[in-house]
Amino acid sequence: MNLKTGVRRDVVDPQVLRGIDAWWRAANYLSVGQIYLRANPLLREPLKLEHVKHTLVGHWGTTPGQNFIYAHLNRAIRQHKLDMIYLSGPGHGGPAVVANAYLDGTYSELYPEISEDEAGLQRLFKQFSFPGGIASHASPECPGSIHEGGELGYSLSHAFGAVFDNPGLIAACVIGDGEAETGALATSWHGNKFLNPVSDGTVLPILHLNGYKIANPTVLARIPRRELSQFLRGCGWKPYFVRGRHPASMHRMMAAALDAVCADIRRIRHVARDGRSHARPAWPMIVLESPKGWTGPRIVDGKPVEGTFRAHQVPLPVSAATPQHLTALEAWLRSYRPDELFDARGRLRAELRRLAPRGERRMSASPHANGGLLLHDLRMPDFRKHAAVVAEPGVAGIGDTHVLGGFLREVIRANRDQGNFRIFGPDETISNGLEAAFEVTNRQWEAETRPTDEFLARDGRVLEVLSEHQCQGWLEGYLLTGRHGVFNCYEAFIHIVDSMFNQHAKWLKMTSRIPWRRPIASLNYLLASHVWRQDHNGFTHQDPGFIDHVVNKKAEIVRVYLPPDANCLLSVMDHCLRSRHYVNVVVAGKHPAPQWLGIEAAVEHCSRGIGIWPWASNDQDGESDVVMACAGDVPTLETLAAVSILRYHLPELKIRVVNVVDLMKLESPSLHPHGLGDGDFDRLFTADRPVIFAYHGYPALIHRLTYRRRNHDNLHVHGYKEEGAITTPFDMTVLNGLDRFHLVMDAIERLPGLASRTVYLKQKLLDKLTEHRRYICEHGMDLPEVREWAWASPEAGILR
């Protein structure tokens, strides 16, 4: 054992090790078969070209190492009675996880057509990376998987998310040395500073050093072992090194290392749960150094393959042009001695089947890897008790997310004993207005604390780390294993997890079509500190484009909500926390802002998702001249201020105000299940009148969502146009043409009959914009009439 780990190599019965080696050979055989074969799965006859797939797709390099790890974890589970799941971090590790799920019987239980016989083996092989078949990753179709691994970097954060509030669980996370070069994974090593050994489970990282990425060596494999050990120890881990290429000695070392790891975990848990120590433990981990493409072809066409980058994908191309490769493939497959592994029917021999853990202890059958099986509803307090009092539209509010914070505080309190709800965020929970949560909980933190710190404790319902990747990965792992949560973030920086959102949305889409997968709790984003209130931070903090990114995904999965005030936010968030198998994006403000709807009106409005605000409209007794539409809190404020100007100066004008909470209501019902029918859309927005639409984000998205609508040509959208600076809140809207003055000018420009009657009004509006610019440059704040504006009467819109 390298680097003075002190672990003996001969502590496991040699007969047990021979069984592990047989399992490993069987898994390797099945893995090679998946990559290459579509017939003759047990080589009952000499291998022919027609037995080989026409297109060879797959990744061999990581596979034998993962099969080795899986075989040894099976033994550890049985011997130490562990509750464990397996996360395959290296890219394209599908052959390994599928092979092991098939060997332990889970695969055939869930897919009876992939039977445990020769015919089932043929189907298993053919389906891999084949049209209509399965992917080369640990995809959703694979039993036991919660981490697909198609995109690298998130396996360890998913593992931590899986074990939070899961005190009996061990998440064995295999980390590829290529994956270890990603920024997200490099930060994940610090997850151990947040893991409570009393109330949480254990993450067992297994760093797989096979030396190469696609075409280059990996960094961690090319630094001295002492330096690597120092790095891992510096991150708070206790590494055990297993290094070599000869199977017999590697089996002895790996078995000994796992026994030592299990002893460490048992000791750490026992000491912590007995209350004998509050020190942060050095959790064990394993570094496995084995050749890339281990046990595969050593040399192909005169070039070394095993132990080089050439083993990464398909190491042995087979075609009519290379008959010698067909011979080499058959020799490679026979090197695993399949006749010793499978009986005459093609079934894994009974003595080998007994090596697998039983029932739900099989990593491929763990309910933790099918979290919907374990999901319990949240106990939901009555959000109405936290409502803002709105005696009349436009009363002052404390900030919408501050109101929501009180509700989330009660969600935490109500579910404390269930341990199934957490708030995740990158050091922004207080900044985003959710400070009320800390009245009943703390931030979970296992590192050093000082007297000047606030809200830090070993146990807490809030997890904060200044890495959006970790917050997203932790929450995904938490949801995938059957719990609930919210990710709060500054709107501009949620883009950091764009790709992680992609992967999760794809996972939800795929699992929704797999009968044995159960729906999980929705992934809820609360985006505060949004674009229209980033005037003090400037241009770098201004980007509402995450919404555009989200709506690209399948309509059955994504939802976007833009509540205009606190009561609507409460109603929306209550709905989101109760929902299943969606990604919900909620954008809300944290700064003091007017409140428009009482709680019952808010519930009714949010239930519809879109609607006319009669109290702001005056077209009840006639046909509308113009529709003033809005989506988002600041756009709603500016729209109503514009309406007040229009109603005072042009009282004969018939105005309809339409507010949108559920953005997907704008899309056609043929494209999104929330979409309004064309008739309902026309009744709201009219069939032929101008619509001035003030929108929270980039204007093009509204056009994209409504392009099929009859009145689309009359839709004129104001939103963010990439204009911003260190300025005032109202000037942010002016710079982007979303302010009340620009909205009024646009409205009167769209009504030709008003042109001659509104010359002086337009001049006043232009003068007001000039005055605004002069005033903010002199005083550093907005005009008093902007700061003090309230929806009280039409006189509120007088231009002085």
Side-chain angles (χ1 to χ4, degrees):
M1 192 65 59
N2 290 345
L3 295 178
K4 300 180 180 179
T5 57
V7 177
R8 296 172 57 199
R9 303 184 184 205
D10 56 352
V11 294
V12 177
D13 187 328
Q15 184 174 347
V16 172
L17 294 181
R18 284 193 290 273
I20 292 173
D21 183 73
W23 183 285
W24 181 44
R25 286 187 284 117
N28 285 339
Y29 181 84
L30 296 187
S31 299
V32 179
Q34 288 177 79
I35 294 172
Y36 283 93
L37 300 184
R38 59 179 179 147
N40 193 17
L42 288 170
L43 303 181
R44 303 296 196 198
E45 59 179 295
L47 193 64
K48 301 175 184 177
L49 193 60
E50 56 263 33
H51 300 150
V52 179
K53 297 177 182 178
H54 296 295
T55 302
L56 300 177
V57 181
H59 290 69
W60 167 246
T62 181
T63 295
Q66 291 204 60
N67 286 332
F68 179 84
I69 293 166
Y70 209 110
H72 278 272
L73 291 177
N74 278 344
R75 194 274 308 177
I77 291 167
R78 293 175 63 245
Q79 181 165 334
H80 300 285
K81 298 179 174 58
L82 305 178
D83 190 5
M84 181 179 284
I85 60 172
Y86 181 94
L87 291 90
S88 173
H92 301 277
V97 289
V98 170
N100 283 281
Y102 181 80
L103 289 173
D104 72 19
T106 311
Y107 210 92
S108 297
E109 291 170 13
L110 297 174
Y111 302 104
E113 69 279 11
I114 309 295
S115 49
E116 295 183 83
D117 53 25
E118 186 170 1
L121 272 179
Q122 181 165 333
R123 295 187 189 99
L124 181 79
F125 288 177
K126 184 177 179 181
Q127 71 174 359
F128 179 80
S129 283
F130 200 83
I134 63 172
S136 63
H137 317 131
S139 62
E141 299 93 340
C142 181
S145 175
I146 67 166
H147 173 82
E148 183 156 5
E151 181 180 341
L152 300 179
Y154 314 122
S155 60
L156 195 50
S157 57
H158 284 157
F160 277 104
V163 303
F164 288 132
D165 297 319
N166 252 338
L169 184 64
I170 298 175
C173 180
V174 181
I175 301 157
D177 48 357
E179 181 189 22
E181 296 178 11
T182 64
L185 196 288
T187 304
S188 296
W189 295 115
H190 296 298
N192 53 12
K193 284 80 173 176
F194 300 86
L195 201 64
N196 184 339
V198 175
S199 56
D200 298 328
T202 304
V203 173
L204 172 59
I206 303 173
L207 176 60
H208 186 201
L209 292 181
N210 63 23
Y212 293 90
K213 305 186 284 283
I214 295 175
N216 280 286
T218 57
V219 172
L220 294 185
R222 293 297 180 91
I223 62 175
R225 297 285 80 73
R226 180 179 180 83
E227 185 178 337
L228 176 59
S229 178
Q230 289 172 335
F231 168 74
L232 295 171
R233 291 178 184 277
C235 290
W237 297 94
K238 179 183 177 181
Y240 290 91
F241 286 75
V242 177
R243 181 183 185 185
R245 67 177 306 135
H246 299 295
S249 61
M250 289 290 279
H251 284 308
R252 289 195 299 271
M253 286 189 289
M254 188 66 174
L258 271 173
D259 284 344
V261 162
C262 290
D264 285 347
I265 292 171
R266 187 166 51 248
R267 175 184 51 79
I268 290 169
R269 287 178 171 180
H270 183 67
V271 168
R273 294 171 189 181
D274 272 5
R276 286 184 282 151
S277 173
H278 296 289
R280 176 168 58 88
W283 290 101
M285 64 168 293
I286 292 174
V287 180
L288 172 65
E289 187 170 355
S290 63
K292 194 174 184 82
W294 196 13
T295 73
R298 292 199 172 186
I299 296 176
V300 176
D301 297 334
K303 294 181 179 180
V305 174
E306 184 191 53
T308 78
F309 67 89
R310 296 184 183 90
H312 182 76
Q313 292 178 308
V314 179
L316 187 66
V318 176
S319 69
T322 56
Q324 72 278 18
H325 290 178
L326 182 65
T327 302
L329 173 61
E330 182 170 2
W332 177 14
L333 284 163
R334 292 191 185 278
S335 72
Y336 298 119
R337 307 194 297 279
D339 290 344
E340 298 177 8
L341 307 173
F342 301 94
D343 63 21
R345 292 174 50 211
R347 184 180 173 89
L348 185 68
R349 292 187 180 276
E351 63 273 20
L352 299 182
R353 289 177 60 81
R354 288 193 290 269
L355 298 175
R358 297 286 183 263
E360 291 184 351
R361 289 208 184 264
R362 293 173 294 176
M363 292 185 286
S364 58
S366 171
H368 295 287
N370 188 3
L373 292 172
L374 303 177
L375 185 63
H376 295 286
D377 291 342
L378 286 174
R379 298 176 186 141
M380 295 295 288
D382 185 357
F383 66 90
R384 291 169 173 82
K385 293 181 179 179
H386 302 275
V389 177
V390 183
E392 59 180 2
V395 300
I398 63 172
D400 298 351
T401 59
H402 294 276
V403 176
L404 175 66
F407 173 57
L408 293 180
R409 175 194 63 216
E410 297 310 311
V411 174
I412 291 170
R413 194 197 307 268
N415 294 279
R416 186 190 304 277
D417 63 331
Q418 291 196 129
N420 64 343
F421 176 76
R422 288 183 184 253
I423 297 174
F424 299 79
D427 192 27
E428 292 161 1
T429 304
I430 291 177
S431 178
N432 282 330
L434 305 180
E435 66 282 348
F438 295 116
E439 296 173 18
V440 296
T441 191
N442 291 290
R443 303 178 180 97
Q444 185 159 309
W445 176 259
E446 297 297 315
E448 177 190 358
T449 59
R450 296 178 180 176
T452 53
D453 295 330
E454 284 188 333
F455 311 127
L456 295 183
R458 297 191 74 204
D459 180 64
R461 296 288 92 197
V462 176
L463 279 166
E464 289 188 332
V465 61
L466 197 50
S467 165
E468 286 81 359
H469 285 127
Q470 300 315 307
C471 296
Q472 174 85 17
W474 287 351
L475 177 54
E476 287 179 359
Y478 200 64
L479 299 176
L480 288 162
T481 47
R483 280 73 63 73
H484 307 255
V486 174
F487 179 7
N488 78 99
C489 185
Y490 278 25
E491 181 183 47
F493 304 129
I494 196 64
H495 275 298
I496 293 170
V497 301
D498 276 1
S499 192
M500 294 184 76
F501 154 77
N502 282 348
Q503 299 300 318
H504 189 74
K506 290 174 184 292
W507 180 277
L508 293 179
K509 180 217 170 187
M510 294 298 293
T511 54
S512 68
R513 301 174 185 183
I514 298 173
W516 56 268
R517 289 277 186 185
R518 295 294 182 265
I520 62 172
S522 297
L523 195 163
N524 300 306
Y525 292 100
L526 174 64
L527 306 185
S529 303
H530 62 56
V531 58
W532 300 109
R533 289 295 182 263
Q534 285 298 325
D535 40 90
H536 60 296
N537 279 323
F539 198 41
T540 59
H541 284 54
Q542 298 161 6
D543 191 327
F546 187 66
I547 296 173
D548 300 62
H549 182 62
V550 166
V551 299
N552 289 328
K553 297 303 162 195
K554 292 296 291 187
E556 67 210 59
I557 298 301
V558 295
R559 307 287 186 264
V560 179
Y561 300 101
L562 296 162
D565 66 2
N567 288 339
C568 289
L569 176 59
L570 287 171
S571 179
V572 163
M573 191 56 71
D574 178 79
H575 166 76
C576 291
L577 290 177
R578 295 175 187 272
S579 69
R580 296 287 184 271
H581 227 70
Y582 296 144
V583 175
N584 296 310
V585 179
V586 182
V587 184
K590 64 182 183 182
H591 294 283
Q595 302 299 301
W596 310 110
L597 302 179
I599 189 61
E600 294 307 327
V603 171
E604 184 178 350
H605 181 50
C606 293
S607 297
R608 290 193 306 264
I610 187 172
I612 299 170
W613 281 2
W615 52 268
S617 308
N618 67 346
D619 67 334
Q620 290 89 342
D621 59 352
E623 195 172 355
S624 303
D625 294 308
V626 63
V627 176
M628 303 294 287
C630 45
D633 54 357
V634 170
T636 297
L637 167 61
E638 292 305 309
T639 293
L640 291 172
V643 168
S644 72
I645 294 172
L646 287 167
R647 288 183 60 176
Y648 180 81
H649 291 278
L650 298 167
E652 73 282 10
L653 197 64
K654 299 298 182 182
I655 303 170
R656 175 177 295 175
V657 176
V658 175
N659 183 264
V660 181
V661 178
D662 180 350
L663 195 65
M664 309 320 293
K665 289 289 183 181
L666 299 177
E667 198 162 40
S668 167
S670 65
L671 299 175
H672 196 284
H674 285 197
L676 283 179
D678 288 335
D680 289 333
F681 189 93
D682 288 346
R683 278 187 283 275
L684 281 179
F685 291 99
T686 79
D688 57 2
R689 299 307 166 98
V691 179
I692 311 302
F693 200 124
Y695 170 55
H696 174 84
Y698 292 104
L701 179 59
I702 302 300
H703 288 292
R704 174 182 155 196
L705 295 176
T706 59
Y707 79 98
R708 293 187 176 188
R709 303 296 190 176
R710 178 160 58 157
N711 199 29
H712 177 257
D713 288 346
N714 270 328
L715 188 64
H716 310 285
V717 186
H718 295 245
Y720 184 63
K721 301 188 299 186
E722 286 291 319
E723 295 292 341
I726 304 298
T727 185
T728 66
F730 182 67
D731 194 49
M732 269 297 300
T733 65
V734 172
L735 291 171
N736 290 278
L738 187 73
D739 63 286
R740 60 200 68 179
F741 305 135
H742 280 99
L743 294 177
V744 171
M745 285 190 287
D746 196 12
I748 60 181
E749 287 292 328
R750 305 297 174 186
L751 295 166
L754 295 178
S756 61
R757 299 164 48 210
T758 56
V759 172
Y760 292 102
L761 175 58
K762 184 173 182 180
Q763 183 62 56
K764 283 185 179 183
L765 295 166
L766 292 170
D767 290 345
K768 189 58 66 174
L769 288 168
T770 301
E771 180 186 352
H772 154 77
R773 171 55 54 182
R774 185 169 58 247
Y775 189 90
I776 65 169
C777 290
E778 180 179 350
H779 298 282
M781 64 175 64
D782 289 317
L783 288 163
E785 64 198 77
V786 170
R787 288 183 279 118
E788 298 166 8
W789 179 87
W791 178 271
S793 67
E795 287 74 20
I798 297 174
L799 293 178
R800 305 184 187 282

